[in-house]
Amino acid sequence: SLRHAIMLDPDHVRAHYNLGVALLKVSSFDEAADSFRRLIALEPDHAAGWNHLGIALFKQDQDTEAMACFRKAADLRPENADAYNNLGTALLEQGLPAEALPFFRQVIDLTRDEAGPGQRRAESWSGSLVDLTFEAYNGVLLIALYLASTRPAELAAVYQDFAQRFELPLRAAWPAHTNNRAPERRLKIG
């Protein structure tokens, strides 16, 4: 067990991390936070530890501390999209959509397929960049719909970008419609 490994070697960074992640999965947020704090005390630059500590704190409604952890994780690993997505989510849940928007856009920019010269590919601690990108688009679209300052052209551009990334690759697999497309056809109702 992870607790036994930590008892044998209290400085085992990976065991503290894995225990914290396991505790998060079973909603033991206070214990998970303790595990991540011990991890960070051993390895202060452990970006994933900071991010996961932020998640544990956020789940306990310690929003200010959680956002500081997400910011620290983003500072340590700017190519990792999780911390930006978590920051956007935390701000959105606090009712601060305008402040959340740049973080969701950062996730979208990081996860673009093409990395330019000198750019690093995005990474994720949560596993799926596709899922993370989808969440970020949801955040951007939700915010764009509710902010009074959003112009229709901006909203359309976000929807088009979303369709380009998620709809276009699936379009070839769409079933063909069997309906008669002739405009003079008899209309069937019911």
Side-chain angles (χ1 to χ4, degrees):
S1 106
L2 292 168
R3 292 183 201 273
H4 184 69
I6 291 169
M7 188 175 71
L8 294 174
D9 181 6
D11 294 342
H12 195 291
V13 171
R14 193 75 181 155
H16 284 290
Y17 178 77
N18 289 339
L19 177 61
V21 170
L23 290 166
L24 275 178
K25 288 185 180 192
V26 296
S27 301
S28 294
F29 304 122
D30 194 40
E31 288 181 88
D34 289 342
S35 189
F36 291 123
R37 283 187 183 105
R38 286 191 290 278
L39 160 70
I40 290 166
L42 295 169
E43 193 174 311
D45 289 342
H46 198 290
W50 282 105
N51 184 66
H52 284 81
L53 175 57
I55 293 169
L57 294 172
F58 188 71
K59 294 290 187 176
Q60 297 177 79
D61 296 321
Q62 298 177 35
D63 300 343
T64 303
E65 297 87 350
M67 289 196 305
C69 291
F70 296 144
R71 288 181 196 280
K72 178 73 172 176
D75 288 344
L76 290 168
R77 294 296 291 267
E79 69 278 2
N80 192 290
D82 289 285
Y84 297 110
N85 194 62
N86 290 337
L87 270 166
T89 300
L91 288 162
L92 190 57
E93 288 192 20
Q94 287 182 352
L96 301 168
E99 289 81 355
L101 191 58
F103 294 108
F104 289 129
R105 284 194 170 137
Q106 180 70 18
V107 173
I108 292 167
D109 289 344
L110 276 172
T111 58
R112 294 225 179 268
D113 288 336
E114 62 280 350
Q119 291 180 317
R120 299 172 92 183
R121 297 281 301 147
E123 60 181 44
S124 170
W125 295 300
S126 62
S128 172
L129 284 173
V130 172
D131 290 344
L132 199 62
T133 306
F134 195 84
E135 285 179 34
Y137 270 105
N138 283 338
V140 169
L141 290 168
L142 177 71
I143 292 166
L145 284 170
Y146 290 103
L147 285 181
S149 61
T150 304
R151 294 188 318 266
E154 289 176 293
L155 186 58
V158 175
Y159 273 106
Q160 288 170 345
D161 189 40
F162 176 86
Q164 187 72 20
R165 288 184 75 175
F166 289 99
E167 178 185 307
L168 190 61
L170 302 173
R171 194 172 285 171
W174 288 356
H177 292 284
T178 58
N179 61 319
N180 181 351
R181 294 184 175 260
E184 61 279 349
R185 76 186 182 283
R186 183 177 204 125
L187 183 61
K188 292 181 184 179
I189 299 177

